[in-house]
Amino acid sequence: MTAPITAQHLSVKKSFRPGELWLDTDGKHINAHGGGILFHKGKYYWFGEHKVAGPDGNKAMAGVSCYSSKDLYNWKNEGIALAVAAENSGSEIEKGAVIERPKVIYNEKTKKFVMWFHLELKGQGYNAARTAVAVADKVTGPYTYLKSFRPHAGVWPANATEAHKTVPVIVKDNDPAWEQKVADGALLQRDFEGGQMSRDMTLFVDDDGTAYHIAASEENRTLHISKLTDDYTGFTDEYVRVFPGGRNEAPAIFKKGGKYFMITSGLTGWAPNAARSAVSEHMMEGWKQLGNPVRGTEEEKNTTFSSQSTFVLPVQGKKNAFIFMADRWRPKNPIDGRYIWLPLIFEDGKPVLKWQEEWTLDTLMQKNESDD
């Protein structure tokens, strides 16, 4: 049962309280799950899945929501940025489809806002495994839906071996070596002609303006990192497989001190699991695992504080200040899902997460370490 709204809830917020009911400036629980944040012209814009109550609440009944804030504590509802189409319209994003993990980036050259998200077609469960794109002239929308697809049809990843291209890896249901064969490229080969699967995803724009799409592929067993086109609305042929067979979902990427860092979750459906972290000096190669970033009790470490990563937010104007964003899913009543925002700090060059009942941006700066 949702807690009653009180005058205290509606007061101006000056701190983060992870896992608690987070009300917007209208007094309603923020409805932007699996989200990401774009900073543009002095404001933060939070895009996320608009959920509804009940067991079917994870289906897209409204679309992608947008909220704005100047301080990260207090959020104004800007409405539905990307609206679903009417039922029986034939649209790929008609009401009842599954829209997950929307992320928005801004293209300096085209002056367009570009949204990507994981799309499952209505009535097909999670079999479609597509990525989808929409664009807008205004940050809050409305966004115009362009297309969905499975990326890289007929294209091998840059780190594919000759064996991947020439030696078939055959895998069947109930194969005792299924996981290993998938790691060896069985699904990469299977989906070569039609395009690779794309589920949990995020976006990252590098310092030079190059944009990347990072997604769970190959039945969520392998991450694919893909370079987007210059206008950010399509894929180039450049992509790589990362941690084949590693069972990584919910990727979140950020950059610190010239290095790229990644936080992901394991693969346990809606149930929380232990987070993972990784680092590389290059986006498209050299990723190395760093282990679980969570420090705390065994339960906290094994469940990432009962949450799953969605985004790592660099705080504007503060050096080396990052916020770990995660969702505490409630699949029986998705609209009541909670948000876990925590300071992401560094210890011995590794990202670290510790539980905070309440914290502020000032404490984040005090806890972090500077670059060498």
Side-chain angles (χ1 to χ4, degrees):
M1 183 174 179
T2 303
I5 296 173
T6 67
Q8 182 180 6
H9 281 136
L10 291 175
S11 62
V12 175
K13 300 171 183 64
K14 297 181 180 179
S15 65
F16 302 105
R17 300 181 68 90
E20 292 196 4
L21 201 67
W22 195 348
L23 304 186
D24 63 20
T25 55
D26 293 327
K28 297 181 179 180
H29 183 43
I30 294 172
N31 197 342
H33 309 269
I37 291 181
L38 172 69
F39 183 79
H40 184 72
K41 293 187 176 180
K43 277 189 180 181
Y44 295 93
Y45 294 90
W46 180 356
F47 298 88
E49 306 161 22
H50 184 281
K51 303 289 192 183
V52 298
D56 290 330
N58 284 313
K59 295 178 181 177
M61 308 305 283
V64 175
S65 53
C66 177
Y67 292 78
S68 66
S69 175
K70 291 184 178 180
D71 61 9
L72 294 175
Y73 305 122
N74 300 278
W75 292 89
K76 175 186 176 184
N77 186 355
E78 298 285 357
I80 299 299
L82 173 68
V84 296
E87 288 187 278
N88 302 317
S89 65
S91 170
E92 292 179 336
I93 60 166
E94 76 172 68
K95 187 177 181 180
V98 174
I99 292 175
E100 294 182 340
R101 298 183 177 272
K103 305 293 185 290
V104 174
I105 52 180
Y106 179 64
N107 191 297
E108 293 285 356
K109 296 178 181 177
T110 65
K111 308 302 179 186
K112 297 282 188 181
F113 297 91
V114 184
M115 176 190 295
W116 286 89
F117 54 93
H118 165 213
L119 175 66
E120 297 293 346
L121 303 176
K122 184 178 180 179
Q124 296 188 22
Y126 275 76
N127 292 323
R130 300 168 79 87
T131 191
V133 60
V135 298
D137 294 319
K138 183 181 177 183
V139 61
T140 55
Y143 283 75
T144 299
Y145 178 70
L146 297 182
K147 58 188 174 182
S148 79
F149 55 95
R150 284 192 174 187
H152 304 303
V155 179
W156 294 110
N159 55 355
T161 65
E162 192 61 29
H164 286 140
K165 302 175 184 178
T166 59
V167 181
V169 181
I170 307 300
V171 63
K172 299 180 180 179
D173 291 344
N174 301 317
D175 189 330
W178 192 90
E179 295 280 355
Q180 184 58 51
K181 288 182 177 180
V182 171
D184 291 341
L187 301 187
L188 174 74
Q189 294 177 344
R190 182 198 70 183
D191 295 335
F192 176 74
E193 293 295 339
Q196 300 298 325
M197 303 177 82
S198 182
R199 290 194 176 126
D200 280 9
M201 54 75 60
T202 193
L203 301 175
F204 178 80
V205 180
D206 211 341
D207 301 331
D208 63 358
T210 302
Y212 298 88
H213 179 285
I214 303 94
S217 188
E218 301 176 31
E219 297 291 0
N220 300 340
R221 265 54 183 187
T222 302
L223 292 171
H224 286 188
I225 299 181
S226 306
K227 186 179 293 187
L228 295 180
T229 55
D230 287 345
D231 66 1
Y232 300 170
T233 65
F235 280 60
T236 69
D237 288 342
E238 295 182 61
Y239 78 109
V240 294
R241 301 172 81 215
V242 178
F243 303 135
R247 298 169 62 93
N248 286 282
E249 284 190 321
I253 286 188
F254 64 103
K255 191 174 184 179
K256 175 183 179 292
K259 294 182 179 180
Y260 303 89
F261 292 87
M262 182 192 305
I263 294 180
T264 64
S265 78
L267 180 57
T268 53
W270 294 108
N273 55 57
R276 298 94 176 269
S277 60
V279 65
S280 179
E281 294 186 1
H282 305 280
M283 178 62 81
M284 304 289 276
E285 63 181 9
W287 285 96
K288 299 177 181 178
Q289 298 183 25
L290 295 175
N292 190 338
V294 174
R295 305 291 183 266
T297 66
E298 286 303 305
E299 181 179 2
E300 289 172 336
K301 288 187 286 187
N302 290 335
T303 68
T304 315
F305 311 111
S306 299
S307 72
Q308 185 184 37
S309 52
T310 185
F311 198 71
V312 172
L313 172 64
V315 179
Q316 294 297 312
K318 296 182 182 292
K319 185 179 180 182
N320 298 326
F322 301 95
I323 296 174
F324 170 77
M325 295 171 51
D327 291 273
R328 185 171 285 175
W329 302 113
R330 295 190 171 175
K332 293 182 179 180
N333 190 28
I335 195 173
D336 194 34
R338 304 299 175 87
Y339 308 104
I340 305 300
W341 286 25
L342 291 170
L344 193 153
I345 63 176
F346 275 76
E347 294 180 356
D348 300 322
K350 298 180 180 180
V352 168
L353 297 167
K354 299 177 182 179
W355 182 253
Q356 304 285 326
E357 291 287 344
E358 183 175 12
W359 63 281
T360 69
L361 296 176
D362 289 337
T363 59
L364 170 60
M365 290 306 299
Q366 293 167 6
K367 290 176 179 294
N368 223 328
E369 66 180 16
S370 62
D371 282 329
D372 296 332

